Amino acid sequence: SSGINAEYGDITPTLRKMWGRGESEARCKLATAYRLTHFFGWDDLVYGHLTLRVPDSEHLLINPFGMHYNEITASSLVKIDLAGNVIDKGTSNFSFQRTGYVIHSSIHENRPDLKALMHIHSRAGVGVACSVDKIVPVCQHSVFIEPVSYHPFRGIVTEEEEKLELAENFAAPSKCLLMRNHGLLTGGETIEEAFFRMYMFHTVCQAYIDAGYTHRPVPAEKTVSQSIVAKSVEAASGQTGSAGLLDFRALARQLDRAGYETGYPYP
């Protein structure tokens, strides 16, 4: 046996009829993102969360807590509302983690522009979150994460009280949040964009570590100027209206070629 789950995009005709085309496709996209997060080495046992708003609804799709990212399938995703009620538990026997609900529902509720969120505890991300006060532009990837927001560590997030502070600290137009002593969070209009932002965010964090900037300030002469960043953001804006779409589709095709049936809805 190859160990490949050939039913990765495992929505049956009956489930597709029940969920409709919009939700079914959203499930396949989010499950693909979970699998890619694992293959990039960003997962942390069964922790961290990726969420996606179900089209034309106030419901969110979230991972079943207890399943590894490499196990999650389209049908196993749990559907909840913004109040934390389970609307559809999916096909697994797992529920969802309250920590993920508190963090993600707060942002989804206060940032309607962000339909998708990714929160990870990657090694590079945690390293920078533990050591860097403010991320400054140091490489080309920095262009795609500006402006970065920051949120202080309050312990394991389970309290509703933190939702307000989190919403205040991650205001528009920022799409990248450094959660101090914790990890990274990105958002996007689509899961493809959220993944694209996370790739760039993680890469910047890795650059910080590789260059030794977790132990010393970034020298002024090594910092990319704000004028160059602004000019680059403007130049890249035409490419990022559907940010990460081409990248994500290319990665999904790699999964399909490897034998994973993602069910990703290619055009």
Side-chain angles (χ1 to χ4, degrees):
S1 172
S2 65
I4 290 176
N5 178 6
E7 297 183 350
Y8 174 34
D10 62 342
I11 296 180
T12 64
T14 299
L15 290 175
R16 185 177 179 85
K17 182 178 181 180
M18 178 176 69
W19 287 327
R21 178 178 178 178
E23 180 174 339
S24 297
E25 291 187 351
R27 285 174 171 273
C28 288
K29 289 180 179 182
L30 186 57
T32 301
Y34 272 105
R35 192 63 61 102
L36 289 173
T37 299
H38 164 67
F39 282 130
F40 274 82
W42 300 339
D43 49 351
D44 178 23
L45 300 177
V46 297
Y47 304 100
H49 305 279
L50 286 61
T51 54
L52 179 61
R53 188 183 288 270
V54 176
D56 304 315
S57 81
E58 294 299 306
H59 298 153
L60 307 175
L61 297 173
I62 192 170
N63 53 315
F65 183 57
M67 291 186 74
H68 192 272
Y69 281 24
N70 203 30
E71 296 179 300
I72 293 171
T73 66
S75 73
S76 68
L77 293 163
V78 180
K79 181 165 61 176
I80 62 174
D81 63 18
L82 292 174
N85 300 306
V86 174
I87 305 302
D88 189 323
K89 76 180 195 66
T91 56
S92 83
N93 293 320
F94 297 92
S95 187
F96 69 98
Q97 187 187 34
R98 182 165 182 78
T99 296
Y101 154 71
V102 172
I103 294 174
H104 288 245
S105 66
S106 169
I107 299 171
H108 278 293
E109 196 169 354
N110 290 280
R111 292 288 304 274
D113 57 314
L114 302 181
K115 303 296 192 298
L117 300 173
M118 287 186 65
H119 171 50
I120 67 170
H121 309 146
S122 68
R123 185 170 178 177
V126 172
V128 169
C130 292
S131 59
V132 175
D133 182 57
K134 179 178 173 58
I135 295 177
V136 298
V138 294
C139 59
Q140 178 171 276
H141 297 78
S142 301
V143 169
F144 300 99
I145 70 171
E146 292 290 327
V148 177
S149 298
Y150 303 87
H151 181 69
F153 185 60
R154 306 294 189 197
I156 302 296
V157 181
T158 58
E159 300 299 326
E160 294 284 333
E161 288 76 11
E162 189 164 355
K163 292 179 70 172
L164 180 59
E165 183 182 19
L166 186 57
E168 291 175 347
N169 289 337
F170 192 35
S174 178
K175 293 185 177 182
C176 294
L177 177 69
L178 184 75
M179 303 185 75
R180 300 195 187 280
N181 307 98
H182 188 167
L184 309 179
L185 188 147
T186 60
E189 295 180 17
T190 63
I191 189 62
E192 292 92 340
E193 181 186 1
F195 190 93
F196 174 80
R197 303 286 178 194
M198 185 59 76
Y199 176 85
M200 298 298 173
F201 204 4
H202 174 85
T203 301
V204 169
C205 290
Q206 189 63 61
Y208 257 75
I209 291 172
D210 293 344
Y213 295 151
T214 56
H215 304 289
R216 59 188 175 94
V218 180
E221 67 273 15
K222 297 296 184 182
T223 303
V224 180
S225 71
Q226 284 302 319
S227 62
I228 291 178
V229 169
K231 183 170 64 175
S232 300
V233 168
E234 184 178 354
S237 62
Q239 306 173 37
T240 57
S242 55
L245 187 60
L246 294 178
D247 311 81
F248 197 92
R249 287 174 177 169
L251 293 171
R253 290 195 298 270
Q254 301 311 303
L255 290 178
D256 286 332
R257 288 195 183 100
Y260 296 93
E261 298 178 8
T262 66
Y264 185 86
Y266 302 101

